[in-house]
Amino acid sequence: MARRKIIIDTDPGQDDTAAIMLAFASKDELEVVGLTVVSGNVPINQTVANTLTVCELCGERDAKVYPGASNPLIRPAVTATQSHGKSGIEGPELPAPSFAAQDQQALEFLREALTLEAEGELTVCCLGPLTNIARLILEAPETAKRMREIVLMGGSYAAGGNVSPAAEFNIHTDPEAADIVFRSGIPIVMMPLDVTYQLVANKERQEKLFSVSNRCSTALAEMIAFSTPHYKRKYGFEGRPLHDPTTVAYLLKPELFTGRSCNVVVETKSDVSVGMTVVDWLNTTDRRKNAYVMRSVNVDGFFELLFARLAKLP
Ligand code: RIB
Ligand code: CA
């Protein structure tokens, strides 16, 4: 079967690291055409450096990494160092990357790739705030619509928020960008906190990761071990939830997930609930069903896939 061409839009990020590793460990199914970077968990210079570091860890020194937005569309940048550590991939001691990011910026790369590739050929996995994608839609809407689909980690339905009572970090950081993406008409698969909170990398799973014992799985296990006390203190979790790799796992084994087409609206005005994804799960309105919202996941199946694939990495 032809490999699926993907672009990963990312803000590494410990769980972004898991997603990037899973993608590079799945070359029979996925071709990573490029990685576009956005500020999010840590500022843009650090997310670019982290993306290069993680690619290097995977042995992917030819990976094409494109720097993107350093700030949200209109709001000041925020970070999530409390859960990812100061570097954003805190935990392991990792060598500095031996290769550089591309000179071309993310927006130009996205435009070029979507123009050169056949329509419906490119899937974009969005793992951070949606600023890069929103800018593309604003500047080149017809080019943006050439995407096959966007598979994004973000938002929540009934799980509430993780950075406010109502909002999840990726959406909350740039709600205006998320609103543009959800209104764009581009097919969207949404992996909300309702799914990703089921995927806690607890002690047993961390040990399993360590037992895979290659540099990638060990580095990821050390990242997760680093942030486990934060998740225990703040949320009462026994480990870090693995949010972002759900997007890549969906591309590899969609049957692991179940959801339904819904209308999703992003709140951009309210001071109380800005960044909230209002998911019409029960179809109470006649608003367009603009996203396929996942609600449940085969937890054991997800971790079996992750461990098996990570075992293929260096
Ligand atoms: O809320 C979780 C999301 O925010 C994940 O993508 C994590 O990496 C952070 O970016
Ligand atoms: Ca992320």
Side-chain angles (χ1 to χ4, degrees), residues 11 16 41 127 244:
D11 67 327
D16 302 68
N41 288 314
L127 314 180
D244 292 337

Side-chain angles (χ1 to χ4, degrees), residues 12-314:
Q14 294 178 328
D15 57 323
D16 302 68
T17 298
I20 294 167
M21 287 180 174
L22 183 56
F24 281 131
S26 305
K27 293 193 170 194
D28 291 344
E29 298 103 321
L30 302 175
E31 178 187 349
V32 180
V33 171
L35 298 100
T36 51
V37 190
V38 64
S39 74
N41 288 314
V42 286
I44 187 69
N45 291 343
Q46 193 62 51
T47 49
V48 171
N50 291 346
T51 305
L52 294 167
T53 297
V54 173
C55 290
E56 179 107 40
L57 204 55
C58 297
E60 299 292 334
R61 287 179 193 79
D62 295 333
K64 301 286 185 287
V65 175
Y66 301 87
S70 53
N71 291 291
L73 291 181
I74 58 174
R75 294 169 190 263
V78 294
T79 61
T81 50
Q82 70 284 4
S83 63
H84 294 265
K86 189 170 178 302
S87 73
I89 50 174
E90 215 67 58
E93 283 300 314
L94 296 173
S98 64
F99 70 109
Q102 301 297 304
D103 292 335
Q104 189 177 39
Q105 292 294 298
L107 186 53
E108 278 325 298
F109 163 69
L110 285 163
R111 284 183 82 145
E112 192 176 275
L114 284 161
T115 304
L116 295 176
E117 291 288 356
E119 183 156 359
E121 187 66 27
L122 273 173
T123 296
V124 182
C125 286
C126 296
L127 314 180
L130 294 164
T131 316
N132 289 334
I133 311 306
R135 283 185 170 171
L136 174 73
I137 294 165
L138 289 172
E139 290 201 11
E142 291 318 305
T143 305
K145 283 190 180 162
R146 291 172 60 83
M147 283 180 208
R148 174 172 172 172
E149 68 183 344
I150 290 172
V151 185
L152 66 87
M153 188 280 136
S156 74
Y157 165 56
N162 57 1
V163 287
S164 84
E168 174 279 326
F169 177 82
N170 288 337
I171 308 298
H172 185 265
T173 299
D174 196 344
E176 287 74 20
D179 184 42
I180 289 165
V181 172
F182 277 94
R183 291 177 187 276
S184 68
I186 299 169
I188 293 172
V189 173
M190 174 176 161
M191 289 288 175
L193 293 176
D194 304 76
V195 166
T196 64
Y197 274 160
Q198 297 177 53
L199 299 169
V200 173
N202 57 25
K203 214 97 192 91
E204 183 195 343
R205 290 164 180 153
Q206 292 173 36
E207 280 155 17
K208 176 86 174 136
L209 261 180
F210 277 117
S211 72
V212 173
S213 63
N214 60 38
R215 70 175 189 229
C216 287
S217 61
T218 302
L220 181 61
E222 288 172 343
M223 288 181 200
I224 294 167
F226 170 86
S227 50
T228 290
H230 162 77
Y231 279 92
K232 179 74 178 165
R233 234 183 355 265
K234 183 162 183 187
Y235 302 101
F237 288 170
E238 293 307 321
R240 147 183 278 293
L242 292 184
H243 306 288
D244 292 337
T246 55
T247 60
V248 177
Y250 165 76
L251 295 177
L252 297 172
K253 295 190 87 172
E255 65 274 17
L256 289 174
F257 303 91
T258 51
R260 67 172 68 155
S261 286
C262 301
N263 173 263
V264 178
V265 173
V266 178
E267 174 59 63
T268 58
K269 301 285 178 279
S270 158
D271 292 340
V272 172
S273 55
V274 64
M276 180 178 187
T277 47
V278 181
V279 177
D280 188 5
W281 183 261
L282 298 179
N283 198 23
T284 63
T285 72
D286 57 0
R287 293 194 291 249
R288 180 173 64 86
K289 294 182 171 64
N290 56 341
Y292 197 88
V293 180
M294 296 300 183
R295 283 292 299 282
S296 59
V297 56
N298 172 342
V299 175
D300 290 340
F302 170 84
F303 280 104
E304 275 159 32
L305 172 69
L306 184 67
F307 297 142
R309 294 298 166 101
L310 289 191
K312 297 176 178 219
L313 290 173

